[in-house]
Amino acid sequence: MSLIVQKYGGSSVADAESIKRVAKRIVETRKAGNEVVVAVSAMGDTTDELLDLAHEVAPIPAPREMDMLLSAGERISMALLALAIESLGHDARSFTGSQAGMITDAKHGSARIVDVTPVRLREALDEGAIVIVAGFQGFNRDTRDITTLGRGGSDTTAVALAAALDADICEIYTDVDGIFTADPRVVPKASKIDRITSEEMLELAANGAKVLYIRAVEYARRHGVTLHVRSSFNNNEGTIVYNPSETVDAATLVARARATSNTNTKTGSESAVEEPLIAGVATDLSEAKITVVGVPDIPGKAAQIFTLVAKTGANIDMIVQNVSAASTGRTDISFTLPKSEGQTVLTALRADQAEVGFLGLQYDDQIGKLALVGAGMRTNAGVSAKLFTALFEAGINIEMISTSEIRISVVTRADTINDALRVVHTAFGLDADDVAVVHGGTGR
Ligand code: ASP
Ligand code: MG
């Protein structure tokens, strides 16, 4: 018997009809002889609506009460889903995060899972029940309060359950057919990725791909959970996200994911897993660039600047330092960070300008970032040349460049980022023959 964890996002359980459809799917999985644990998100836009309501009654809502409020969304969907399954004649039991043993730290609004003790879930499974767990929520032992895991946290709930229960597969159901080589709303010819390593997925998620949340991918990678991201609107095989280890090779993981997944697999799909050069391209418009102008070119200045930045808690991304002009003995340092943190960091730097001794600050929130990701880069030369050539031919100027072993990122003007995405996608041969189908609206 296999144990399958399934996660259904808000768009898959948006109304009564959808809940009944999902209930049928879950029952089919059970009937095929599997144990089934389901993590479910709040219906449709419930979480956003609750957030809006909170801000109407309180300008700065208290974090503890906010988590009480937001966790209610998943309570509604979990109970409705259990009711729908029961009415199909199957035993189903819903559990809140704390009942399911999701133990987190105490950080309201973005709590981290520190332990999972799914005793009650195991008991319910042993009694033959289908288990439904409220996504996105947990419990802190010290404060004895309910916590939430941050937006999109149900993915993390599902992965954590899969790890704790030693599931064979964690299926993430969404409203698109899987993970694409680029956002299909911008690149209609984006191709569905059949399989991708968790390392590559992590880079795509960290650089703006929104299908999977970064924390969930991190958790899956660390605990060796294989994910299958697929549509809840059809039976097609989606994207398998795997972490090849020393003990289990990629082909075995992919075959195992397929065996448990009850899909329409394309005929003749090859069994050998060969790494493509490029996995995908992601873009991000949520960042801004700060340039610290005229920094004295002596040891310790970068340390001073980034200590100030670190104190604000801001998450900085790319850093570039120019060569100093010999005549002035000064240099410029630029870095990118989320726009939401821009003003705080500017204020912190300005406060210590005299002490650090730089000449000025520039703030630019009209940048776009493009990241090309692929494990094949490790062993292939010429990837950067091809990327820069594609951008040059489209007349797009590159403002910053940074690389990791499996990623090349560039910053361009925000208004050229979609063109950049399309030309790079084409240049690396990622265009599909057909136009991708986008079922729902949000990709969640
Ligand atoms: N309902 C929560 C949100 O909308 C969690 C989730 O959907 O995963 O962010
Ligand atoms: Mg949601």
Side-chain angles (χ1 to χ4, degrees), residues 7-10 40-44 46-48 70 73-74 135-136 150-155 213 444:
K7 180 258 173 174
Y8 291 93
V40 68
S41 292
M43 296 169 68
T46 303
T47 308
D48 291 299
L70 295 185
E74 271 73 10
F136 168 64
R151 297 308 306 268
S154 303
D155 287 355
Y213 275 82
R444 294 288 320 132

Side-chain angles (χ1 to χ4, degrees), residues 78 82 86 91-95 120-121 123-125 127-133:
M78 76 175 191
E86 292 270 349
D91 189 6
R93 249 166 270 172
S94 66
F95 296 92
R120 295 195 62 185
L121 309 189
E123 279 169 12
L125 288 170
E127 287 164 22
I130 293 169
V131 167
I132 316 289
V133 179

Side-chain angles (χ1 to χ4, degrees), residues 37 39 66 70 118 150 153 187 194 196-197 228 239 251 255 269 279 289 316 319 336 362 383 394 402 407-408 411 425:
V37 174
M66 210 55 197
L70 295 185
V187 184
D194 290 337
I196 182 170
T197 64
H228 183 184
T239 302
S269 92
K289 178 172 77 176
I316 55 167
I319 303 176
T336 62
Q362 283 168 2
V383 176
S402 91
R407 171 187 50 78
I408 307 173
V411 165
H425 195 267

Side-chain angles (χ1 to χ4, degrees), residues 88-140:
L88 294 172
H90 284 258
D91 189 6
R93 249 166 270 172
S94 66
F95 296 92
T96 64
S98 70
Q99 287 177 317
M102 278 294 153
I103 311 299
T104 71
D105 63 17
K107 192 150 189 285
H108 287 295
S110 59
R112 283 191 181 262
I113 298 169
V114 294
D115 193 13
V116 185
T117 52
V119 182
R120 295 195 62 185
L121 309 189
R122 194 59 261 174
E123 279 169 12
L125 288 170
D126 290 343
E127 287 164 22
I130 293 169
V131 167
I132 316 289
V133 179
F136 168 64
Q137 54 181 263
F139 177 78
N140 179 261

